Amino acid sequence: MRNPTQAAPNIYFHIFYLISVGLQSPGELMMNASCWLLVLGLVWFGSLTVFYIFKARRKNERTYYLGALLGFFMILLIFLVFLNQKFLALILMGAMTVLSIVTLSVVIKTQTREATMHLREVDLTAALNLKDFFTYRGWLKLARRWGVVKTVSIYFVITFVGVAGALYILSMYGIGTIESAIGNAILASLLISITFYRIISKALENA
C-alpha cells in the first residue's frame, strides 16, 4: 500500500501547477510574461537614468543628462502602458523620437570624444571581455580585428533584437501592431547603427 506521506508532494505539485499554469490560457501566459518584462524594463531604465546622472556629474558633461532624460521617459512610457494610456504613450514616443533627432549631432560629438579616449586607454590586442562591450572598448577591439562594417553589422543585429522585442511587447498592449513593430525596429536599428558607425569610424581616425 502506498504511503500517504509520499503522495502528498505530488498533490501539492499538481495543485500549484493548476493554479499557476493549468488555469491560464496561452494568451494569458504571454501577457504575464510581458508584464515581467515590463518590470525588468523599469529596473533597467531606472538604473540607466541613475547611471547617466552620476556620469554627467562626474565628467561635468551635460550631454549625458540627455541619456538620463530618455531613461526617465522610458520609465514614464512603461507606466503609461501599465495604465493603458495608449494615446499618451504614442505622444511620448513621438517626443522621444524628436528629442533624439534634434540632439543627434551633439550626442555624436560627445560619444566620439569618449570612444577616442577609450581607444587611447585600451590595448586593442588584448583578449575580449564581456564587460568591455558595455563601453566602447569591446567594440573598438572588435572593429580593429574584424573591421568596422562587420562590427556594426553585429551591433545592428543586437540592437534590432532589443528594439523589436520592446516594440513587440508594446504591441501586445495595443500600442502598434506586430508588423509595425518589425518595420519600426528595422528603421530604428538602421539609424542607431549608422550613428554607431560614424562614432567608431571617427574614433579610429582620431587615434
Side-chain angles (χ1 to χ4, degrees):
M1 184 175 177
R2 191 176 183 182
N3 191 339
T5 59
Q6 294 177 347
N10 290 331
I11 294 173
Y12 295 144
F13 171 79
H14 286 299
I15 291 174
F16 175 78
Y17 179 83
L18 286 172
I19 293 174
S20 62
V21 178
L23 299 180
Q24 294 181 343
S25 66
E28 289 173 329
L29 286 173
M30 287 295 293
M31 289 298 289
N32 286 341
S34 64
C35 282
W36 278 111
L37 288 174
L38 287 177
V39 171
L40 288 175
L42 282 175
V43 175
W44 171 254
F45 289 113
S47 301
L48 279 182
T49 301
V50 174
F51 169 76
Y52 277 115
I53 289 175
F54 276 102
K55 191 171 184 179
R57 292 173 64 88
R58 186 177 71 252
K59 296 194 173 186
N60 196 25
E61 178 64 64
R62 293 182 180 180
T63 308
Y64 292 115
Y65 284 118
L66 292 173
L69 183 60
L70 288 175
F72 173 74
F73 280 166
M74 286 301 301
I75 294 172
L76 186 58
L77 177 63
I78 291 173
F79 276 115
L80 290 175
V81 170
F82 269 128
L83 297 173
N84 199 29
Q85 299 294 321
K86 300 176 185 177
F87 181 69
L88 292 177
L90 288 172
I91 291 177
L92 182 59
M93 290 173 67
M96 291 169 60
T97 303
V98 172
L99 178 64
S100 299
I101 294 173
V102 170
T103 59
L104 183 60
S105 61
V106 178
V107 171
I108 289 177
K109 288 180 182 178
T110 303
Q111 293 299 313
T112 302
R113 188 164 58 248
E114 181 175 343
T116 303
M117 180 188 67
H118 286 166
L119 186 59
R120 293 168 181 167
E121 295 174 350
V122 71
D123 179 10
L124 296 180
T125 62
L128 287 168
N129 262 321
L130 182 60
K131 65 179 182 180
D132 288 339
F133 289 96
F134 289 97
T135 65
Y136 284 106
R137 292 183 177 91
W139 298 106
L140 289 168
K141 289 180 182 178
L142 210 59
R144 183 66 79 183
R145 297 179 185 187
W146 291 3
V148 177
V149 175
K150 287 184 179 179
T151 301
V152 173
S153 299
I154 295 172
Y155 188 84
F156 170 81
V157 173
I158 295 173
T159 303
F160 173 77
V161 171
V163 174
L167 293 178
Y168 174 72
I169 292 173
L170 290 178
S171 70
M172 295 183 66
Y173 287 87
I175 301 176
T177 62
I178 296 178
E179 292 77 12
S180 66
I182 294 174
N184 290 331
I186 292 174
L187 180 60
S189 301
L190 278 173
L191 293 175
I192 293 171
S193 298
I194 290 171
T195 303
F196 182 74
Y197 174 83
R198 291 183 62 183
I199 293 170
I200 294 294
S201 298
K202 286 185 178 181
L204 292 171
E205 289 174 3
N206 295 336

